[in-house]
Amino acid sequence: MSPALRTLSETDESFLLNAGTTIEADEALQDAAGALSTLLEPYVGRALPLKAGRHSLVLRLDETLGEGLKPFQKEECYSLEVTADKVVLTAVTTLGAFHGVQTLAKALPALWQAGACAALPGGKVMDYPEYPYRAFMLDCGRHFFPVSTVKKVIDILALHQLNTFHWHLSEDQGWRLEIKKYPRLTEVGSRRAGSPVPGREGHDGVPVSGFYTQEEAREVVAYAAARGIEVIPEIDLPGHMKAALASYPELGCTGGPYEVACEYGVLDDVLCAGRKETLQFVCDVLDEVMDIFPSRYIHLGGDECPKVRWEACPRCQAQIRFLGLKSQGKRTREELLQSWFMDQVSTYVEAHGRRSIAWNDVLVDWGNDVIGAPSKKTVMAGWMRPVSTEIAVREGYDAIFCPVGHLYLSSREGNELRGEAYLRRVFDAPLPALQADEKFHILGVEACIWSEWVDQEDLLLWELLPRLALVSDLQWGDPAARDFKAMLPRLERMQQLYTARGWKWNEAAATLQ
Ligand code: ACM
Ligand code: ZN
């Protein structure tokens, strides 16, 4: 398995799955029991009956498990005891039970390899995560992925004991979520005329389109929840909004006309922060988003918002004067206007009992200078450099570690590496150097795939695997036990499992050991 289990003591016994094996589960653990039954079905050729038996896998809740752990660790911890007659999986919550089921799944793939009987090795395990927030982000804006692919990604996240799927749903190049109050967002905003071609002007003329109906989005939320995963939606604002502007040009500073972008990069046209209709639009959209997604967090984007339109826009300038914003060193009046805009939206989100997340450009620039002053209630997603997460924590924010150089799995440079270097880039991601009392403001670790150059499921999985196993090591594993060489056999096992499930994976480092 990957990461290493916190504590493991092995015995010589093993639990052999056979025709009489059953699954017994507490009432609250029926979903986890169902997941276990599905996982075991290929080994025994039928669904295991859910009933008591002499030779059974037992799933139990026990509030006393995990005494002494931090509250979030207790919430997700599980124990396993495997003897010849019983597999006993104990957890404090249903989420912990899911993690235990996934550990059993990871103990099994060698069986495929050996073609031998389906046996679980005997022993005792006690396991819990290092961080409470363990996420993967998929950009469905630059390219659209069907629900079937999104579900496959969720299955993959569950296997790696992540608990969060961050779903990037709006972009310059495509708006991907049905919003009933603003139908043009998908009628117009979900279609573009083509995509850029490297080294050439213009685009390829091949249309790209697609969006998720609200019903489909709810289906994804339910599918993820049944696997212990929370879906966090992202509506990226006030930048990366060209598809929304193409749909409703009156939301921009110039009034358009605008087109859904057929180029990539950081575009100048953004939402106008000086029109009250803009905030109304954002709040209306978020009403529907919060109704679909029950997540604790709502991601508001906030990244890569050029200020050229705001500098020239009479409405934005009037708003700056009205708010009395004054530049302070690198904090320009327009940067502070963005802080104000983000605060209006995050206050709205908070009034609905949620917390907001924003990319850390709302706080720091590429020179690591603090340029914004958003509300401390917003969680900073530190993508720009590893140090940007440290800065966010020192400025008093909760933060998520997701540095572009290490955990952007779509990065071309990362994907061109071979052998050990390919793995090391993720494995060696430098977690922020903070004091123990500051560390607890790091909520967790997130990896991202941006889909500018990924338009197929196979390519997406190839970028994701096997490095998601290394991401999981950073998110879940004991930092004191991290060891590159010791991880390689576990990675090998994961790769066998990917192959058995028909998931494409990158063989750049397949032969290391
Ligand atoms: C980002 O990569 N623009 C968050
Ligand atoms: Zn404006």
Coordinates of all heavy atoms in Angstrom, one line a residue, residues 416-472:
E416 N 7.6 15.2 -18.5 CA 8.7 14.8 -19.4 C 9.8 14.1 -18.6 O 10.7 13.5 -19.2 CB 9.2 16.0 -20.1 CG 8.3 16.3 -21.3 CD 8.6 17.6 -22.0 OE1 9.5 18.3 -21.5 OE2 7.9 18.0 -22.9
L417 N 9.8 14.1 -17.3 CA 10.8 13.4 -16.5 C 10.7 11.9 -16.6 O 9.6 11.4 -16.8 CB 10.8 13.9 -15.0 CG 11.0 15.4 -14.8 CD1 10.7 15.7 -13.3 CD2 12.4 15.7 -15.1
R418 N 11.8 11.2 -16.4 CA 11.8 9.8 -16.4 C 12.4 9.3 -15.1 O 13.1 10.0 -14.4 CB 12.6 9.2 -17.6 CG 12.4 9.8 -18.9 CD 11.0 9.7 -19.5 NE 10.6 8.3 -19.6 CZ 9.3 8.0 -19.7 NH1 8.4 8.9 -19.7 NH2 9.0 6.7 -19.9
G419 N 12.2 8.0 -14.9 CA 12.8 7.3 -13.8 C 12.6 8.0 -12.4 O 11.5 8.5 -12.2
E420 N 13.6 8.0 -11.6 CA 13.5 8.4 -10.2 C 13.0 9.9 -10.2 O 12.2 10.3 -9.4 CB 14.8 8.3 -9.5 CG 14.7 8.5 -8.0 CD 15.9 8.1 -7.2 OE1 16.5 7.0 -7.6 OE2 16.3 8.8 -6.2
A421 N 13.6 10.7 -11.1 CA 13.3 12.2 -11.1 C 11.8 12.4 -11.3 O 11.2 13.4 -10.7 CB 14.1 12.9 -12.3
Y422 N 11.2 11.5 -12.1 CA 9.7 11.7 -12.3 C 8.9 11.6 -11.0 O 8.0 12.3 -10.7 CB 9.3 10.6 -13.3 CG 7.8 10.4 -13.4 CD1 7.0 11.3 -14.1 CD2 7.2 9.3 -12.9 CE1 5.6 11.1 -14.2 CE2 5.8 9.0 -13.0 CZ 5.1 10.0 -13.7 OH 3.7 9.8 -13.8
L423 N 9.3 10.6 -10.2 CA 8.7 10.4 -8.9 C 9.1 11.4 -7.8 O 8.3 11.9 -7.1 CB 8.9 9.0 -8.3 CG 8.5 7.8 -9.2 CD1 8.9 6.5 -8.6 CD2 7.0 7.9 -9.4
R424 N 10.4 11.7 -7.9 CA 11.0 12.6 -6.8 C 10.3 14.0 -6.8 O 10.2 14.6 -5.8 CB 12.5 12.8 -7.1 CG 13.3 11.6 -6.6 CD 13.7 11.8 -5.2 NE 14.5 10.7 -4.7 CZ 14.7 10.5 -3.4 NH1 14.2 11.2 -2.5 NH2 15.5 9.4 -3.1
R425 N 10.0 14.5 -8.0 CA 9.4 15.8 -8.1 C 8.2 15.9 -7.2 O 7.9 17.0 -6.6 CB 9.0 16.0 -9.5 CG 8.8 17.5 -9.9 CD 8.7 17.6 -11.4 NE 8.2 18.9 -11.7 CZ 9.0 19.8 -12.3 NH1 10.3 19.5 -12.5 NH2 8.6 21.0 -12.6
V426 N 7.4 14.9 -7.1 CA 6.2 14.9 -6.2 C 6.7 14.5 -4.8 O 6.4 15.1 -3.8 CB 5.1 14.0 -6.7 CG1 4.0 13.9 -5.7 CG2 4.6 14.5 -8.0
F427 N 7.4 13.4 -4.7 CA 7.8 12.9 -3.4 C 8.5 13.9 -2.5 O 8.3 14.0 -1.3 CB 8.7 11.6 -3.5 CG 9.0 10.9 -2.3 CD1 8.2 10.0 -1.7 CD2 10.1 11.3 -1.5 CE1 8.4 9.3 -0.5 CE2 10.4 10.6 -0.3 CZ 9.5 9.7 0.2
D428 N 9.4 14.7 -3.2 CA 10.2 15.7 -2.5 C 9.5 17.1 -2.3 O 10.2 18.0 -2.0 CB 11.6 15.9 -3.2 CG 12.4 14.6 -3.0 OD1 12.2 13.9 -2.1 OD2 13.3 14.4 -3.9
A429 N 8.3 17.2 -2.6 CA 7.6 18.5 -2.5 C 7.9 19.0 -1.1 O 7.6 18.3 -0.1 CB 6.1 18.3 -2.6
P430 N 8.5 20.2 -1.0 CA 9.0 20.7 0.3 C 7.8 21.2 1.2 O 7.4 22.4 0.9 CB 10.0 21.8 0.0 CG 9.5 22.2 -1.4 CD 8.8 21.1 -2.1
L431 N 7.3 20.5 2.1 CA 6.2 21.0 2.9 C 6.7 22.2 3.7 O 7.9 22.3 4.1 CB 5.8 19.8 3.9 CG 4.8 18.9 3.2 CD1 4.7 17.5 3.9 CD2 3.4 19.4 3.0
P432 N 5.9 23.1 3.9 CA 6.3 24.4 4.5 C 7.1 24.2 5.8 O 6.7 23.4 6.7 CB 5.0 25.1 4.8 CG 4.0 24.6 3.8 CD 4.4 23.1 3.6
A433 N 8.1 25.1 5.9 CA 9.0 25.0 7.1 C 8.4 25.9 8.2 O 8.7 27.1 8.3 CB 10.4 25.5 6.8
L434 N 7.5 25.4 9.0 CA 6.8 26.2 10.0 C 7.0 25.7 11.4 O 7.4 24.5 11.5 CB 5.3 26.2 9.7 CG 4.8 26.8 8.4 CD1 3.4 26.4 8.1 CD2 4.9 28.3 8.5
Q435 N 6.8 26.5 12.4 CA 6.9 26.1 13.8 C 5.7 25.2 14.0 O 4.7 25.3 13.4 CB 6.9 27.3 14.7 CG 7.9 28.3 14.5 CD 9.3 27.8 14.6 OE1 9.6 27.0 15.5 NE2 10.2 28.2 13.7
A436 N 5.9 24.3 15.0 CA 4.8 23.3 15.4 C 3.5 24.1 15.6 O 2.4 23.6 15.1 CB 5.2 22.5 16.6
D437 N 3.5 25.2 16.3 CA 2.2 25.9 16.6 C 1.6 26.6 15.3 O 0.5 27.0 15.3 CB 2.4 26.9 17.7 CG 3.4 28.0 17.4 OD1 4.2 27.7 16.5 OD2 3.4 29.0 18.1
E438 N 2.4 26.7 14.3 CA 1.8 27.3 13.0 C 1.4 26.2 12.1 O 0.5 26.4 11.3 CB 2.9 28.1 12.3 CG 3.5 29.3 13.0 CD 4.7 29.9 12.3 OE1 5.6 29.1 11.9 OE2 4.8 31.1 12.2
K439 N 2.0 25.0 12.3 CA 1.7 23.9 11.3 C 0.2 23.6 11.3 O -0.3 23.1 10.3 CB 2.5 22.7 11.7 CG 3.9 22.7 11.1 CD 4.5 21.4 11.1 CE 5.8 21.5 10.4 NZ 6.9 20.9 11.1
F440 N -0.4 23.8 12.4 CA -1.8 23.3 12.4 C -2.7 24.2 11.5 O -3.8 23.8 11.2 CB -2.2 23.1 13.9 CG -3.3 24.1 14.4 CD1 -4.6 23.7 14.4 CD2 -2.9 25.3 14.8 CE1 -5.5 24.6 14.9 CE2 -3.8 26.2 15.3 CZ -5.1 25.9 15.4
H441 N -2.2 25.3 11.0 CA -2.9 26.1 10.1 C -2.8 25.6 8.6 O -3.4 26.1 7.7 CB -2.5 27.6 10.1 CG -3.0 28.2 11.4 ND1 -4.3 28.5 11.5 CD2 -2.4 28.6 12.5 CE1 -4.5 29.1 12.7 NE2 -3.3 29.2 13.3
I442 N -1.9 24.6 8.4 CA -1.9 23.9 7.1 C -3.0 22.9 7.2 O -2.9 21.8 7.8 CB -0.6 23.2 6.9 CG1 0.6 24.2 7.0 CG2 -0.6 22.5 5.5 CD1 0.9 24.9 5.8
L443 N -4.1 23.1 6.5 CA -5.2 22.2 6.5 C -4.9 20.9 5.8 O -5.4 19.8 6.1 CB -6.5 22.8 5.9 CG -7.0 24.0 6.6 CD1 -8.3 24.4 5.9 CD2 -7.2 23.9 8.1
G444 N -4.0 21.0 4.8 CA -3.7 19.8 4.0 C -3.0 20.1 2.7 O -2.4 21.2 2.5
V445 N -3.0 19.1 1.9 CA -2.2 19.0 0.6 C -3.2 18.7 -0.5 O -4.1 17.9 -0.4 CB -1.1 18.0 0.8 CG1 -0.3 17.8 -0.5 CG2 -0.2 18.3 2.0
E446 N -2.9 19.4 -1.7 CA -3.8 19.2 -2.8 C -2.9 19.1 -4.1 O -2.0 19.8 -4.3 CB -4.7 20.4 -2.9 CG -5.6 20.4 -4.2 CD -6.8 21.3 -4.1 OE1 -7.3 21.5 -3.0 OE2 -7.2 21.8 -5.2
A447 N -3.3 18.1 -4.9 CA -2.7 18.0 -6.3 C -3.7 18.5 -7.3 O -4.9 18.4 -7.1 CB -2.2 16.6 -6.6
C448 N -3.2 19.0 -8.4 CA -4.1 19.6 -9.4 C -3.8 19.0 -10.8 O -2.6 18.8 -11.2 CB -4.0 21.1 -9.5 SG -4.2 21.9 -7.9
I449 N -4.8 18.9 -11.6 CA -4.6 18.7 -13.1 C -5.4 19.8 -13.8 O -6.7 19.9 -13.7 CB -5.0 17.3 -13.6 CG1 -3.9 16.3 -13.1 CG2 -5.2 17.2 -15.1 CD1 -4.0 14.9 -13.6
W450 N -4.7 20.6 -14.5 CA -5.3 21.6 -15.4 C -5.4 21.1 -16.8 O -4.4 20.4 -17.2 CB -4.4 22.9 -15.3 CG -4.4 23.5 -13.9 CD1 -3.4 23.2 -13.0 CD2 -5.3 24.3 -13.3 NE1 -3.7 23.9 -11.8 CE2 -4.9 24.6 -12.0 CE3 -6.5 24.9 -13.7 CZ2 -5.6 25.3 -11.1 CZ3 -7.2 25.7 -12.9 CH2 -6.8 25.9 -11.6
S451 N -6.5 21.3 -17.5 CA -6.7 20.5 -18.7 C -6.5 21.2 -20.0 O -7.1 20.8 -21.0 CB -8.2 20.0 -18.6 OG -9.1 21.1 -18.6
E452 N -5.6 22.3 -20.0 CA -5.3 22.9 -21.3 C -4.9 21.9 -22.3 O -5.4 21.9 -23.5 CB -4.2 23.9 -21.1 CG -4.6 25.2 -20.5 CD -4.4 25.3 -19.0 OE1 -4.3 24.2 -18.4 OE2 -4.3 26.4 -18.5
W453 N -4.1 21.0 -21.9 CA -3.5 20.0 -22.9 C -3.9 18.6 -22.6 O -3.3 17.6 -23.1 CB -2.0 20.1 -22.9 CG -1.5 21.5 -23.1 CD1 -1.0 22.3 -22.1 CD2 -1.7 22.3 -24.3 NE1 -0.7 23.6 -22.6 CE2 -1.2 23.6 -23.9 CE3 -2.2 22.1 -25.5 CZ2 -1.1 24.7 -24.9 CZ3 -2.2 23.2 -26.5 CH2 -1.6 24.4 -26.1
V454 N -5.0 18.4 -21.9 CA -5.5 17.1 -21.6 C -7.0 17.1 -22.0 O -7.8 17.7 -21.4 CB -5.5 16.8 -20.0 CG1 -5.9 15.4 -19.7 CG2 -4.1 17.1 -19.5
D455 N -7.3 16.3 -23.0 CA -8.7 16.3 -23.5 C -9.2 14.9 -23.5 O -10.3 14.6 -24.0 CB -8.7 16.9 -24.9 CG -7.8 16.2 -25.9 OD1 -7.0 15.3 -25.5 OD2 -7.9 16.4 -27.1
Q456 N -8.5 13.9 -23.0 CA -8.9 12.5 -23.1 C -8.8 11.9 -21.7 O -7.8 12.2 -21.0 CB -8.0 11.7 -24.0 CG -7.9 12.2 -25.4 CD -9.0 11.8 -26.3 OE1 -9.6 10.8 -26.0 NE2 -9.2 12.5 -27.3
E457 N -9.7 10.9 -21.4 CA -9.6 10.3 -20.1 C -8.3 9.5 -19.9 O -7.7 9.6 -18.8 CB -10.8 9.3 -20.0 CG -10.8 8.5 -18.7 CD -11.9 7.5 -18.6 OE1 -13.0 7.9 -18.5 OE2 -11.6 6.3 -18.6
D458 N -7.8 8.8 -20.9 CA -6.6 8.1 -20.8 C -5.4 8.9 -20.4 O -4.6 8.6 -19.6 CB -6.2 7.3 -22.1 CG -6.9 5.9 -22.1 OD1 -7.5 5.6 -21.1 OD2 -6.7 5.2 -23.1
L459 N -5.3 10.1 -21.0 CA -4.2 11.0 -20.8 C -4.3 11.6 -19.4 O -3.3 11.7 -18.7 CB -4.3 12.1 -21.9 CG -3.1 13.1 -21.8 CD1 -1.8 12.5 -21.9 CD2 -3.3 14.1 -23.1
L460 N -5.6 11.9 -19.0 CA -5.8 12.4 -17.6 C -5.3 11.3 -16.6 O -4.6 11.7 -15.6 CB -7.3 12.6 -17.5 CG -7.9 12.9 -16.1 CD1 -7.2 14.1 -15.4 CD2 -9.4 13.1 -16.2
L461 N -5.7 10.1 -16.8 CA -5.3 9.0 -15.8 C -3.7 8.8 -15.9 O -3.1 8.6 -14.8 CB -6.0 7.7 -16.1 CG -7.5 7.7 -16.0 CD1 -8.1 6.3 -16.0 CD2 -8.0 8.5 -14.8
W462 N -3.2 9.0 -17.0 CA -1.7 8.8 -17.2 C -1.0 9.9 -16.4 O 0.1 9.7 -15.9 CB -1.4 8.9 -18.7 CG 0.0 8.8 -19.1 CD1 0.7 7.6 -19.4 CD2 0.9 9.8 -19.4 NE1 2.0 7.9 -19.8 CE2 2.1 9.3 -19.8 CE3 0.8 11.2 -19.4 CZ2 3.2 10.0 -20.1 CZ3 1.9 12.0 -19.7 CH2 3.1 11.4 -20.1
E463 N -1.6 11.1 -16.4 CA -0.9 12.2 -15.6 C -1.1 12.0 -14.1 O -0.3 12.4 -13.3 CB -1.5 13.6 -16.0 CG -1.1 14.0 -17.4 CD -1.4 15.4 -17.8 OE1 -2.1 16.1 -17.0 OE2 -0.8 15.9 -18.8
L464 N -2.2 11.4 -13.8 CA -2.6 11.2 -12.4 C -1.8 10.0 -11.7 O -1.5 10.1 -10.5 CB -4.1 11.0 -12.3 CG -4.8 10.9 -11.0 CD1 -4.6 12.2 -10.2 CD2 -6.3 10.7 -11.2
L465 N -1.7 9.0 -12.4 CA -1.1 7.7 -11.9 C 0.2 7.4 -12.5 O 0.4 7.6 -13.7 CB -2.1 6.6 -12.1 CG -3.5 6.7 -11.6 CD1 -4.4 5.6 -12.1 CD2 -3.5 6.8 -10.1
P466 N 1.2 7.0 -11.7 CA 1.0 6.6 -10.2 C 1.3 7.7 -9.3 O 1.3 7.4 -8.1 CB 2.1 5.5 -10.1 CG 3.2 6.0 -11.0 CD 2.5 6.6 -12.2
R467 N 1.5 9.0 -9.7 CA 2.0 9.9 -8.8 C 1.0 10.3 -7.7 O 1.3 10.9 -6.7 CB 2.5 11.2 -9.5 CG 3.8 10.9 -10.2 CD 4.2 12.1 -11.0 NE 3.2 12.4 -12.0 CZ 3.2 13.5 -12.7 NH1 4.2 14.4 -12.6 NH2 2.2 13.8 -13.6
L468 N -0.3 10.0 -7.9 CA -1.3 10.3 -6.9 C -0.9 9.5 -5.6 O -1.2 9.9 -4.5 CB -2.7 10.0 -7.3 CG -3.8 10.4 -6.3 CD1 -3.9 12.0 -6.3 CD2 -5.2 9.8 -6.7
A469 N -0.3 8.3 -5.8 CA 0.1 7.5 -4.7 C 1.1 8.3 -3.8 O 1.2 8.2 -2.6 CB 0.7 6.2 -5.1
L470 N 2.0 9.1 -4.5 CA 3.0 9.9 -3.8 C 2.3 11.1 -3.1 O 2.7 11.5 -2.0 CB 4.1 10.3 -4.7 CG 4.7 9.3 -5.6 CD1 5.9 9.9 -6.3 CD2 5.1 8.1 -4.9
V471 N 1.3 11.6 -3.8 CA 0.6 12.7 -3.2 C -0.1 12.2 -1.9 O -0.1 12.8 -0.8 CB -0.5 13.3 -4.2 CG1 -1.4 14.3 -3.5 CG2 0.2 13.8 -5.4
S472 N -0.7 11.0 -2.0 CA -1.3 10.4 -0.8 C -0.4 10.2 0.3 O -0.7 10.4 1.5 CB -2.0 9.1 -1.3 OG -2.3 8.3 -0.2

